[in-house]
Amino acid sequence: LELRQPIPLYTSKGHGFAYFVTDLGLDHDLIWTVFLDDGEIWQFRNKDVRAVENYTHGRQNLHKMPSATSKEI
């Protein structure tokens, strides 16, 4: 699925914007295709990305990145 508007996310490799989401079905995580701020493009499982802070919606003081042991696919 190509996202209409990119979604800002934190990943284990840094901040970036998700442009695509792949849903492989019930038994699989969502796969986020993220363009990182340094220009790299990676795919991350749903559990390996985090939403950025949004004070309007009450998301504050979040842990910015998933654990360094998270694995990309």
Side-chain angles (χ1 to χ4, degrees):
L1 170 70
E2 182 177 358
L3 300 172
R4 235 179 230 210
Q5 291 186 318
I7 299 174
L9 296 173
Y10 290 117
T11 74
S12 57
K13 294 203 170 273
H15 179 267
F17 288 87
Y19 282 84
F20 303 97
V21 178
T22 304
D23 185 352
L24 300 174
L26 261 175
D27 296 328
H28 301 279
D29 289 336
L30 293 174
I31 306 297
W32 295 84
T33 301
V34 180
F35 292 49
L36 298 177
D37 289 347
D38 66 4
E40 291 185 357
I41 302 169
W42 287 87
Q43 291 187 318
F44 297 90
R45 292 180 177 169
N46 197 53
K47 65 183 180 91
D48 296 327
V49 296
R50 298 289 181 270
V52 298
E53 289 93 350
N54 184 321
Y55 294 100
T56 302
H57 294 287
R59 283 194 317 261
Q60 311 174 48
N61 303 320
L62 300 175
H63 297 287
K64 295 191 181 204
M65 295 208 258
S67 74
T69 61
S70 298
K71 300 225 181 344
E72 301 84 22
I73 61 163

